[in-house]
Amino acid sequence: MNNIHFNRRNLLAVTACAAASVAAPALWAQPRLEKTKIAIAVGGKAAFYNLPLTIAEQLGYFKAEGLEVDISDFAGGSQALAAVEGGLADVVSGAYEHTITLQTRGQRFQAFVLQGRAPAVAIGISVKAMPHYKTIADLKGKRIGISALDSSTQRVVQLILSRAGLKADDVNYVGMGTAAGALAAFRTGQIDALSAVDPVLTMLEQKGEIRIITDTRTLKGTAEVFGGVMPAGCLCAPLDFVKKCPNTVQALTNAMVHSLKWLQTAGPSDIIRVVPEAYFLRDRAVYLAAFNKVREAISPDGLIPVEGPQTVARALARFDPAVKLSNSDLAKTYTNVFAIKAKERFNA
């Protein structure tokens, strides 16, 4: 029944977008939007993984494009994606890799603007809980904190385990979100290791509480882990939505690329001025230190590198039997058409 309800709602939304697209006359350089009210679901809005989205919202870039955006925050990317699948949101701000896993289930989603050109996920062990840690094999049987099940934070762990000859279920996964919950769980001994994104990681590092064993917050670290460029955070939506509402998707992309361009030159005072106080976890200095660590992971222009999808598919295939490179139509999982136009507009 839920699936029927979802399909009907999406059919109505797509039909409305298509009808508006046909009926609306072009408005000079900015065509009329098929849909102006957009719901975006995000997993861990306060994390640096989604910083470009926050900047676009805080600086009014969505409004400048004629959009009224409502952003709903969830504990993890998989939950945010479920909101779009269930018709509760139009667009998800999350990991590109979801478009590939969804394709294996017969669902067509397409990424249309990149936020992160590196996952910016790191795995660290608790110095207190695992003082004698030596190799990945020592994680067997341990409790590893992740943002949510079926999230990027879990998949990075699964990849590392597979390379060490361990199975995905050789460890116990504990979902705890991306911010204060993860920090508290780590410090109170509820988990032995943590796979997370900043600013939580840097806060634990500076206190000497965590030892990082895998790090994809830099392009070099990402290449070492995945063997190539690894597109990460992006905005993606059901392919039908992208096709039926191209002007709306272009407006969303424009706002995001504008945000990415701003971030390329933003200084500490700019970040402090724009980012909500609650995101700092009560320590502005640590937040800024974390920003410097992940800065190169932020996409400069919103373009998904053409070799990136293949890297993602190879990584997924190592631990997900449903992902087979021979059966993946990667070209349908992303498009750079909108980002190229936005880049030209903003000279990003």
Side-chain angles (χ1 to χ4, degrees):
M1 181 63 69
N2 288 338
N3 286 337
I4 294 175
H5 191 203
F6 161 58
N7 290 335
R8 285 176 178 170
R9 276 184 296 187
N10 276 274
L11 178 59
L12 288 173
V14 168
T15 301
C17 285
S21 179
V22 171
L27 293 180
W28 298 94
Q30 183 174 337
R32 187 182 297 275
L33 304 182
E34 301 90 355
K35 187 173 183 180
T36 57
K37 294 184 178 181
I38 297 294
I40 298 179
V42 57
K45 187 167 178 278
F48 281 112
Y49 196 90
N50 296 295
L51 181 60
L53 178 71
T54 292
I55 297 301
E57 176 191 35
Q58 293 295 311
L59 292 180
Y61 293 160
F62 289 123
K63 290 183 179 179
E65 296 295 330
L67 295 168
E68 183 180 333
V69 171
D70 178 40
I71 301 175
S72 298
D73 196 8
F74 294 84
S78 57
Q79 295 172 8
L81 181 63
V84 178
E85 291 181 279
L88 300 177
D90 304 293
V91 175
V92 63
S93 175
Y96 161 73
E97 65 208 42
H98 287 304
T99 65
I100 298 177
T101 56
L102 284 168
Q103 191 180 82
T104 66
R105 303 202 296 264
Q107 294 176 263
R108 300 190 300 169
F109 271 60
Q110 189 172 69
F112 55 85
V113 61
L114 187 69
Q115 295 187 77
R117 53 182 179 173
V121 174
I123 303 173
I125 55 99
S126 168
V127 173
K128 182 179 180 180
M130 300 184 67
H132 304 299
Y133 172 88
K134 292 183 179 180
T135 68
I136 297 295
D138 293 331
L139 291 176
K140 188 173 184 177
K142 300 299 182 181
R143 300 162 299 172
I144 301 182
I146 56 175
S147 62
L149 294 177
D150 199 28
S151 64
S152 290
T153 51
Q154 181 181 16
R155 287 178 178 144
V156 172
V157 174
Q158 292 174 319
L159 176 63
I160 298 304
L161 292 177
S162 70
R163 288 180 174 172
L166 297 178
K167 298 178 181 179
D169 58 2
D170 280 337
V171 301
N172 300 305
Y173 298 102
V174 184
M176 57 192 57
T178 60
L183 197 62
F186 190 89
R187 286 177 165 167
T188 56
Q190 297 177 46
I191 52 178
D192 305 299
L194 176 66
S195 177
V197 292
D198 266 318
V200 169
L201 294 166
T202 298
M203 182 166 284
L204 292 170
E205 281 184 286
Q206 290 199 352
K207 298 294 184 180
E209 299 171 82
I210 195 171
R211 175 184 164 191
I212 301 297
I213 58 175
T214 297
D215 199 341
T216 68
R217 289 175 290 182
T218 64
L219 298 180
K220 179 181 178 181
T222 296
E224 290 174 351
V225 173
F226 295 102
V229 294
M230 183 77 174
C234 64
L235 291 192
C236 66
L239 183 58
D240 283 344
F241 179 88
V242 176
K243 287 184 175 181
K244 301 299 183 180
C245 299
N247 296 340
T248 298
V249 172
Q250 186 64 63
L252 286 166
T253 304
N254 290 345
M256 293 300 294
V257 172
H258 196 175
S259 171
L260 294 171
K261 182 177 181 181
W262 184 89
L263 280 165
Q264 292 304 304
T265 57
S269 62
D270 298 314
I271 297 296
I272 294 300
R273 173 177 57 86
V274 176
V275 174
E277 182 76 26
Y279 290 15
F280 301 150
L281 295 180
R282 299 181 180 180
D283 196 324
R284 291 186 177 186
V286 170
Y287 188 88
L288 291 174
F291 174 64
N292 286 330
K293 285 193 174 186
V294 303
R295 190 162 196 162
E296 75 167 3
I298 298 173
S299 171
D301 53 20
L303 293 173
I304 296 173
V306 292
E307 67 273 29
Q310 189 74 14
T311 303
V312 177
R314 282 199 307 267
L316 290 173
R318 288 188 64 93
F319 55 83
D320 187 345
V323 177
K324 298 180 180 179
L325 298 181
S326 59
N327 296 333
S328 298
D329 190 352
L330 299 180
K332 291 183 179 179
T333 63
Y334 77 101
T335 177
N336 278 325
V337 170
F338 303 101
I340 289 173
K341 291 181 178 179
K343 181 180 179 180
E344 292 173 350
R345 174 177 166 181
F346 296 107
N347 295 315

